[in-house]
Amino acid sequence: MKNFELQHIQRRKRSNRIMHILFLFSTMIGIVTLGILLVQIIAKGSGWISLDFFTHFSSRFPEKSGIKAAFFGTLWLMLITAPLTFIIGVSTAIYLEEYAKNTWLSRFIQTNISNLAGVPSVVYGLLGLTIFVRLFDLGRSLISGALTMTLLVLPVIIVAARESLKAVPNHQRNASLALGANPWQTILRVVLPSAMPGILTGSILSLSRAIGETAPLIVVGAASYIAFVPNSLFSDFTAMPIQIYSWAGRPEESFGQLAAAGIIVLLIMLLGMNLIAIMLRNKYQRS
Amino acid sequence: MIDIQSLDLFYGEFHALKNVSMFLPEKSITAFIGPSGCGKSTLLRTLNRMNDMIKTVKIKGTVTIHGNNIYEPEVNVELLRKRVGMVFQQPNPFPKSIYDNVAYGPRIHGTKKKSELDDIVEKSLRDAALWDEVKGDLKKSAYGLSGGQQQRLCIARALAVNPEVLLMDEPTSALDPISTLKIEELIQQLKEKYTIVIVTHNMQQAGRVSDQTAFFLNGEMVEFSETDTIFSNPVDQRTEDYVTGRFG
Ligand SMILES: Nc1ncnc2c1ncn2[C@@H]1O[C@H](COP(=O)(O)OP(=O)(O)OP(=O)(O)O)[C@@H](O)[C@H]1O
Ligand SMILES: [Mg+2]
């Protein structure tokens, strides 16, 4: 081999090695930062997690403070938002993908939905404030918050459900139709069972993103200081990220630790939801 | 039994079937042959109106089955497809158990009783010559079967709704020679109970299984007669060129 060819090969090897290290380094930046953050939060907050933390409301005194109101607020938000978004989102996706495929209307709606999925969440908050709080006169209530969250999550779920429906091969639909099934029977018995793992995973993942949303809830009027568990759809409410935000803003050291404890709980909730998503997916894939 | 009269079919502007007329007698096997793109699948799909799904399709002419035009507006497409079953080129079982695959059609059409379904499943699998291979494990996923077994399962699934006609679009083109032979034998047996239309690219297959053969070219039916005649003594030069392999 000629000398300059050898040099060339060595140069390419070297540049490959350098790029390899650069990419590894970029990856590490993310992982290490996340690691440090987690360690810090756990070190700071884990001492505050006890049964009392879950049974007490927020208070002026850090030792007496707990996340009961926020924990149940978030739970209620999710319990209302999850079925609403699932039903509306999956129905919309079915309409767009199975009934109105490639029509002018469906293309128009699809473009808009994809755009909506990228709208900043605070804008949804303003929308919720205008429509639910003021126009429908629902006030600064749990239901206003939940409906706002539903709007926020809906585009993401629709997109995820559409992708799952699209992934069901057409020969499955044809097999069903050729046996004399009508379109709805085909959707119910063939398309949806195949698409369900993807739809469920997408739904839970988008909900678990919504669980950490703060801005729209603040705009809609979640309170940060509440000493009761929501007892009706029209109660005042607060939610985990808002409670955390409010604690974190306090100058006292111990409130900072409370915030860290709240973050740990929120993270566990998130992990739990993702775990459910994974389990559901595995369960459906096996059967 | 199936009477196609002056059938024209358009995909948008494209004239895919040109003035096709033919009569398919009851309990006979008809083969459609011809080069790729000549309209065999298209014609097959007009017989159970699977073309309805393609929005650009326009149809002129009539297809009557037992004297009823299946393109009359009052025809119930679901019932038509129950009477005219279809087997596709690629085996396409549902991602369900063997049992649920075969029971799918009867359930769709309202059969609920377990004992009744059990009987239908067994009978259909027997008729599709698959029973002995799967009877021990009907709860197994259909995806665990071989390609040839999957195709026979699809045939069983089509038989389970008790059709009169069975349309098969290149049912063996995705299969190995032994599975192909099995399915050909099966088709011969099914002839006793069903009217069968089969699309094939395999001349030997058409010769082996069918009673009459139709040769298509560019959307036209060039020749249609007894299979023996088509292969040994065709009238049209183009048919002769095609069946002797001097063409396309
Ligand atoms: N959905 C469709 N839209 C537009 N044109 C189509 C459509 N399906 C088929 N065609 C056209 O109609 C003609 C006949 O197609 P068809 O599938 O019936 O041919 P075929 O004889 O079955 O061919 P092959 O042997 O390759 O399966 C072809 O030219 C094809 O391009
Ligand atoms: Mg074809």
Side-chain angles (χ1 to χ4, degrees):
Chain A
M1 222 185 290
K2 292 202 196 75
N3 206 14
F4 71 85
E5 278 184 334
L6 263 176
Q7 273 183 351
H8 183 65
I9 288 173
Q10 270 170 354
R11 213 172 36 241
R12 290 200 315 197
K13 271 191 174 160
R14 205 166 43 239
S15 72
N16 183 41
R17 225 178 8 254
I18 291 173
M19 289 322 280
H20 182 124
I21 292 170
L22 264 176
F23 287 132
L24 182 70
F25 185 69
S26 319
T27 314
M28 290 319 277
I29 292 179
I31 294 181
V32 168
T33 323
L34 194 68
I36 293 174
L37 208 67
L38 270 179
V39 169
Q40 250 188 0
I41 286 171
I42 292 174
K44 216 168 146 188
S46 57
W48 287 80
I49 294 183
S50 64
L51 194 62
D52 283 351
F53 188 61
F54 290 95
T55 54
H56 285 190
F57 294 110
S58 186
S59 149
R60 271 185 301 140
F61 309 105
E63 314 80 54
K64 288 192 191 163
S65 273
I67 51 159
K68 188 168 179 187
F71 183 78
F72 280 99
T74 290
L75 207 64
W76 275 114
L77 277 178
M78 286 300 126
L79 283 179
I80 302 169
T81 304
L84 270 182
T85 45
F86 189 80
I87 293 167
I88 302 176
V90 174
S91 309
T92 309
I94 288 177
Y95 175 74
L96 293 176
E97 209 41 52
E98 305 291 326
Y99 284 103
K101 202 172 170 69
N102 284 330
T103 57
W104 172 86
L105 179 71
S106 110
R107 271 198 299 275
F108 176 76
I109 297 176
Q110 276 164 33
T111 316
N112 281 297
I113 288 174
S114 308
N115 288 335
L116 279 179
V119 169
S121 60
V122 66
V123 176
Y124 283 95
L126 292 170
L127 190 69
L129 181 68
T130 316
I131 297 181
F132 302 125
V133 179
R134 303 226 170 106
L135 189 66
F136 292 174
D137 209 12
L138 296 172
R140 303 178 162 252
S141 60
L142 183 62
I143 185 73
S144 295
L147 290 176
T148 307
M149 280 300 194
T150 304
L151 285 187
L152 177 77
V153 181
L154 209 46
V156 188
I157 289 199
I158 293 173
V159 171
R162 275 193 57 226
E163 293 303 322
S164 310
L165 292 173
K166 225 187 281 189
V168 178
N170 248 330
H171 63 75
Q172 295 284 325
R173 294 183 181 84
N174 287 338
S176 171
L177 294 169
L179 285 164
N182 62 34
W184 172 235
Q185 288 172 316
T186 303
I187 291 167
L188 200 64
R189 295 175 187 230
V190 175
V191 179
L192 275 183
S194 286
M196 210 29 99
I199 294 178
L200 285 174
T201 319
S203 311
I204 294 180
L205 291 183
S206 47
L207 278 176
S208 72
R209 259 186 43 203
I211 212 176
E213 281 291 350
T214 324
L217 290 182
I218 291 182
V219 177
V220 170
S224 59
Y225 191 84
I226 275 189
F228 55 85
V229 169
N231 55 4
S232 86
L233 290 179
F234 304 101
S235 294
D236 287 357
F237 73 105
T238 185
M240 299 280 297
I242 291 178
Q243 183 67 73
I244 293 167
Y245 176 72
S246 121
W247 279 335
R250 299 279 204 102
E252 296 95 326
E253 170 73 18
S254 22
F255 275 113
Q257 293 167 351
L258 272 177
I263 291 173
I264 295 174
V265 175
L266 191 60
L267 281 177
I268 291 174
M269 287 169 96
L270 279 175
L271 283 178
M273 288 176 81
N274 288 354
L275 203 68
I276 294 173
I278 292 169
M279 282 183 339
L280 282 172
R281 195 175 52 201
N282 291 346
K283 178 172 168 287
Y284 270 96
Q285 264 167 1
R286 240 179 296 122
S287 55
Chain B
M1 132 154 212
I2 302 179
D3 195 4
I4 303 168
Q5 283 299 332
S6 325
L7 188 74
D8 283 277
L9 185 143
F10 300 84
Y11 291 112
E13 297 291 299
F14 179 68
H15 201 170
L17 292 175
K18 297 167 190 158
N19 195 24
V20 174
S21 297
M22 64 200 302
F23 181 78
L24 314 177
E26 195 158 355
K27 305 212 164 105
S28 65
I29 303 179
T30 306
F32 291 174
I33 61 170
S36 189
C38 66
K40 307 179 294 291
S41 300
T42 303
L43 180 59
L44 200 70
R45 285 196 303 263
T46 59
L47 303 183
N48 66 346
R49 291 188 50 177
M50 283 297 274
N51 283 324
D52 288 15
M53 255 88 75
I54 305 165
K55 293 206 176 61
T56 55
V57 164
K58 291 267 178 316
I59 289 177
K60 281 195 297 190
T62 60
V63 177
T64 52
I65 298 183
H66 283 316
N68 301 315
N69 183 2
I70 62 172
Y71 284 95
E72 291 290 324
E74 68 268 16
V75 166
N76 180 321
V77 183
E78 282 95 43
L79 286 182
L80 168 72
R81 293 189 187 139
K82 181 173 179 292
R83 289 167 63 199
V84 184
M86 189 168 215
V87 175
F88 296 80
Q89 179 172 1
Q90 290 288 335
N92 58 353
F94 300 122
K96 302 173 187 283
S97 71
I98 294 171
Y99 185 98
D100 288 340
N101 262 280
V102 183
Y104 183 87
R107 280 176 175 150
I108 286 291
H109 294 287
T111 309
K112 291 211 177 68
K113 270 215 342 245
K114 177 87 169 67
S115 59
E116 227 171 299
L117 286 171
D118 287 350
D119 289 346
I120 295 175
V121 169
E122 173 168 353
K123 186 173 174 307
S124 309
L125 285 170
R126 278 191 196 282
D127 283 354
L130 189 59
W131 176 250
D132 290 329
E133 291 158 64
V134 300
K135 64 184 170 197
D137 208 359
L138 295 177
K139 292 271 161 274
K140 205 174 85 172
S141 165
Y143 281 14
L145 299 174
S146 75
Q149 288 174 323
Q150 289 190 6
Q151 193 62 305
R152 277 179 284 148
L153 178 66
C154 293
I155 295 176
R157 181 177 65 185
L159 299 182
V161 293
N162 199 19
E164 299 164 48
V165 183
L166 206 53
L167 309 174
M168 301 182 158
D169 195 347
E170 303 186 42
T172 61
S173 66
L175 305 181
D176 63 280
I178 295 178
S179 304
T180 299
L181 217 65
K182 272 204 175 134
I183 295 211
E184 285 182 13
E185 281 171 16
L186 173 61
I187 293 172
Q188 294 282 357
Q189 287 162 19
L190 292 174
K191 184 183 135 179
E192 287 172 25
K193 295 188 204 160
Y194 308 94
T195 306
I196 294 171
V197 186
I198 178 170
V199 172
T200 179
H201 273 281
N202 181 331
M203 294 304 133
Q204 287 84 22
Q205 183 167 71
R208 278 193 300 262
V209 302
S210 68
D211 302 314
Q212 60 269 341
T213 297
F215 171 62
F216 294 87
L217 199 60
N218 297 327
E220 272 176 78
M221 192 181 73
V222 175
E223 193 164 347
F224 176 48
S225 58
E226 300 294 309
T227 299
D228 289 343
T229 316
I230 290 276
F231 282 98
S232 56
N233 197 10
V235 176
D236 199 293
Q237 184 61 38
R238 292 169 295 175
T239 315
E240 179 165 351
D241 289 349
Y242 185 74
V243 297
T244 52
R246 255 178 287 158
F247 181 102

